[in-house]
Amino acid sequence: FILPDLLESMRISTSSSQENTRNFLTDYSIVYAVSGTLCLKNSDSEQIIEEGELALIPPGTYAFSESANDQNHSGFTFFFDQWTAQCILKLPEVISALSLYQPPVTRQKVYIIPRQKVFRNFFNAVQLYHNLEKKLKKEMLPVKFTELIYLLLNSPHRDIVLSFLSEATGNMPEKR
């Protein structure tokens, strides 16, 4: 079963602060801005994630969090590696989605998904699980990560998500 493998190979981070932070992302990441803004820079672009937006971020990106008017900024980040991406691509619904995959002509390094109620509701639930005791949290967060992948695959951003996951595995699937 795939989920136990995900327990070992993924991690989640939350941040909440009034201070500005800087991080260099070394893993593939899915970031959700709960509040405040996040500035992302890589070698050829700079993008801003606003409150309520979700971003698919490759390794090699600098993430800067910014608070405005002494307001807290907070967010969730799911980090995953090649092994995790390979596990995800083996899930039955993902295999089905790959059969419909239309590779994007070009994909931005960082892809931002606009604010949607379904993602706000999802991350409200993730916050509840994140506040649980350590053992239960460790077991539930990979389940929530998998749920997020399913939500993304049922969104208009399916092909971008598949491209992102395929890139994380180290190869791009061909259209079937």
Side-chain angles (χ1 to χ4, degrees), residues 6 16 20 66 75 77 81 100 110 139:
L6 290 178
S16 182
N20 294 338
E66 299 175 358
T77 305
D81 57 14
L100 303 172
V110 174
E139 293 171 358

Side-chain angles (χ1 to χ4, degrees), residues 63-120:
F64 302 85
S65 55
E66 299 175 358
S67 55
N69 303 325
D70 293 326
Q71 298 288 319
N72 277 357
H73 56 80
S74 61
F76 284 98
T77 305
F78 285 102
F79 297 100
F80 62 97
D81 57 14
Q82 183 178 20
W83 171 250
T84 306
Q86 289 170 347
C87 290
I88 292 166
L89 289 179
K90 292 177 185 173
L91 294 168
E93 289 83 358
V94 178
I95 291 170
S96 296
L98 281 170
S99 69
L100 303 172
Y101 178 58
Q102 298 287 329
V105 176
T106 59
R107 186 178 74 74
Q108 300 169 318
K109 277 282 192 190
V110 174
Y111 185 78
I112 298 176
I113 296 173
R115 184 181 314 191
Q116 294 177 20
K117 186 177 181 179
V118 66
F119 296 123
R120 185 186 71 224

